[in-house]
Amino acid sequence: MQQLFLIAVRNLGTHKRRTLLLGGAIAGVTALLVILMGLSNGMKATMLESATTLMTGHVNVGGFYKVSAGQAAPVVTNYPKLLEQLRKEVPEMEYSVQRARAWVKIVSETGSIQVGMGGIDVEAEKGFRKVVQLREGKLEDLAQPNTLLLFEEQATKLDVKVGDTVTLSAPTMRGTSNTVDVRVAAIAANVGMLSSFNVYVPNATLRGLYQTREDATGALMLYLKDMADIPAVQARLFKRLPELGYQLMEHNPQPFFMKFETVNREAWTGQKLDVTNWEDEISFIKWTVSALDALTFVLTFVLLIIIAIGIMNTLWIAIRERTREIGTLRAIGMQRGYVLVMFLLEALVLGLLGTVTGALVGLGVCVAFNAADISVPVVVQVFILSEKLHLVVNPGSMVGAITFITVCTTLISLIPSFLAARMKPVTAMHHIG
């Protein structure tokens, strides 16, 4: 076997031009695949980080409180006790935030918009500072009462800047209208489609607008150390929370704002919790991620077809050029199996060298792209929910790409190698051309 390996390496060295052309093609395809995977992983990571930070955690414990049968509010009462129990039940949790929820009208001197509003404790929001890029103002100012964070798109519609005052208007839990004047403390860069319908105020401001108690919030957002634990955590909470005395809503994989009509039709009053995950609350992100996976699969499939055709064509040419050599080897006693193995080893070595080189080139391109810190076009920002895109190269995926393309390269060479092994020595030695 070692001798056949050395012959295969020697053959590659002898036909340098053909080796460089085919090896370069394999390297190019591998580099494209690594960049494609880095782009896909980066887009998914960026989308998930932005959406789960601004809209929901990895696991979301929200719910509704009904003063009367037909009037539901997205409120969780006595959340400090619930949060303490969740910390005991979910050791996989990295951190959590509590965020009040509301649907309000913002009125400025020149216009108005209807948006979803999140109440935040800015000092406890670990991920918020990373996702939100400020254009004006300071995020720390959002800790002051009656302040507001807008995105650029909303500030333009309202024609306001930092320091201006706008009025928030919303119905309270009992259905009466209430208003609060707030100061624009910060204006952030747009975060794709999320910047169209989200603004943030301190939790105390939102409680004042909704006239709820200090221990009331909208949802407890749990951020796990590993998102792979989400199904297990969600299933555990569905079992444990009723045992701890809480009433749960049946699992409904929809965002909370789409459940009002259903909840209002139900006869119960009081508090019911709703345990969901990020896929339930922001299903449009799941669809986008699935579309990205499908696109990556299709492009990978096309790349493999291109490389398969190239390898088979090149090996057939190589066999044709080396027909007399094959005949000589068979005439001096080399068995058909050895001829087959010799060509397979040649394809294996070529594939391994090409894929490793290509993977390193692809990795270098991804690192250079991240170092350049390039802003993506607005149309891309809408989908990835960020003005910056970072390519993420997973070492496991890179090794998988090297292995997969090398194995495919070797398997594709089976047909021309088998044809070479079946060639009769006399026919091969008298071959011309």
Side-chain angles (χ1 to χ4, degrees):
M1 185 61 72
Q2 183 180 1
Q3 193 173 12
L4 291 176
F5 178 79
L6 293 175
I7 293 174
V9 173
R10 185 212 64 185
N11 288 337
L12 289 173
T14 303
H15 304 88
K16 291 180 182 177
R17 184 178 178 184
R18 186 178 65 230
T19 301
L20 287 174
L21 285 174
L22 187 53
I26 296 172
V29 170
T30 308
L32 282 174
L33 186 57
V34 170
I35 295 170
L36 187 62
M37 290 192 299
L39 182 63
S40 174
N41 291 336
M43 290 178 71
K44 284 190 285 187
T46 304
M47 281 192 297
L48 287 178
E49 183 179 40
S50 297
T52 56
T53 300
L54 297 180
M55 295 285 290
T56 176
H58 299 158
V59 175
N60 190 297
V61 182
F64 292 91
Y65 189 89
K66 297 177 69 174
V67 177
S68 60
Q71 191 172 358
V75 171
V76 175
T77 58
N78 196 12
Y79 81 83
K81 178 184 176 184
L82 175 60
L83 181 57
E84 184 180 348
Q85 291 169 323
L86 289 174
R87 285 174 176 154
K88 292 178 182 176
E89 297 296 330
V90 187
E92 300 93 338
M93 188 194 311
E94 183 178 4
Y95 71 97
S96 65
V97 298
Q98 56 89 11
R99 198 174 289 174
R101 293 165 160 173
W103 182 252
V104 304
K105 185 176 183 179
I106 305 178
V107 182
S108 70
E109 292 183 356
T110 57
S112 65
I113 56 174
Q114 199 84 29
V115 292
M117 179 168 283
I120 64 170
D121 178 0
V122 70
E123 295 179 355
E125 295 271 359
K126 293 183 180 179
F128 206 78
R129 295 172 184 276
K130 187 176 179 182
V131 170
V132 174
Q133 305 295 319
L134 292 187
R135 290 287 189 258
E136 295 180 48
K138 297 178 181 177
L139 204 55
E140 290 75 14
D141 290 347
L142 211 60
Q144 299 174 9
N146 295 341
T147 50
L148 170 71
L149 180 144
L150 292 170
F151 291 98
E152 285 180 306
E153 177 183 346
Q154 298 157 341
T156 302
K157 287 180 180 177
L158 293 170
D159 192 21
V160 295
K161 58 183 182 298
V162 169
D164 290 348
T165 298
V166 296
T167 300
L168 308 181
S169 175
T172 66
M173 284 183 64
R174 295 187 180 278
T176 58
S177 294
N178 193 21
T179 60
V180 172
D181 288 338
V182 296
R183 177 176 59 85
V184 178
I187 296 176
N190 290 332
V191 188
M193 62 183 77
L194 295 183
S195 28
S196 300
F197 49 81
N198 279 298
V199 298
Y200 299 92
V201 296
N203 265 311
T205 300
L206 201 49
R207 289 193 188 102
L209 180 65
Y210 251 65
Q211 295 187 340
T212 55
R213 294 169 36 169
E214 285 293 316
D215 63 353
T217 190
L220 296 172
M221 301 177 181
L222 314 183
Y223 294 87
L224 308 184
K225 299 167 189 169
D226 187 349
M227 291 181 71
D229 293 328
I230 289 175
V233 170
Q234 194 174 4
R236 191 186 315 144
L237 292 180
F238 268 111
K239 179 183 177 184
R240 285 292 295 152
L241 287 176
E243 293 174 354
L244 294 171
Y246 294 98
Q247 292 189 59
L248 288 190
M249 295 171 55
E250 291 185 7
H251 182 237
N252 181 359
Q254 288 184 318
F256 80 96
F257 55 82
M258 295 180 68
K259 298 175 182 174
F260 276 92
E261 188 176 348
T262 303
V263 173
N264 282 332
R265 285 201 302 266
E266 297 173 352
W268 57 271
T269 58
Q271 177 75 69
K272 275 193 177 183
L273 297 181
D274 186 22
V275 180
T276 56
N277 60 37
W278 71 268
E279 294 183 43
D280 302 330
E281 295 287 334
I282 43 178
S283 54
F284 66 93
I285 295 293
K286 182 181 177 183
W287 299 334
T288 308
V289 169
S290 299
L292 271 176
D293 289 337
L295 180 63
T296 303
F297 175 80
V298 170
L299 291 177
T300 302
F301 183 71
V302 172
L303 289 175
L304 284 176
I305 289 179
I306 293 172
I307 194 172
I309 294 172
I311 289 172
M312 289 185 72
N313 187 51
T314 304
L315 284 177
W316 270 325
I317 293 173
I319 290 169
R320 183 180 176 83
E321 290 176 351
R322 293 159 59 187
T323 299
R324 301 186 72 174
E325 177 187 339
I326 294 169
T328 303
L329 291 172
R330 292 280 289 117
I332 63 176
M334 179 177 278
Q335 299 297 313
R336 288 178 174 174
Y338 288 119
V339 175
L340 176 67
V341 171
M342 184 182 72
F343 277 97
L344 287 178
L345 284 174
E346 194 172 323
L348 175 65
V349 172
L350 181 61
L352 192 59
L353 291 174
T355 51
V356 170
T357 304
L360 293 175
V361 171
L363 177 63
V365 171
C366 292
V367 171
F369 182 90
N370 290 338
D373 195 29
I374 300 171
S375 295
V376 296
V378 175
V379 66
V380 180
Q381 294 177 22
V382 171
F383 289 101
I384 68 170
L385 310 180
S386 174
E387 63 175 358
K388 303 285 185 182
L389 171 63
H390 294 280
L391 276 60
V392 177
V393 179
N394 186 323
S397 299
M398 198 167 77
V399 172
I402 292 173
T403 305
F404 183 65
I405 295 182
T406 301
V407 170
C408 286
T409 303
T410 306
L411 291 178
I412 289 166
S413 69
L414 265 175
I415 296 175
S417 300
F418 182 72
L419 293 176
R422 288 191 59 189
M423 201 172 292
K424 292 181 179 179
V426 175
T427 305
M429 293 182 69
H430 289 84
H431 177 79
I432 298 174

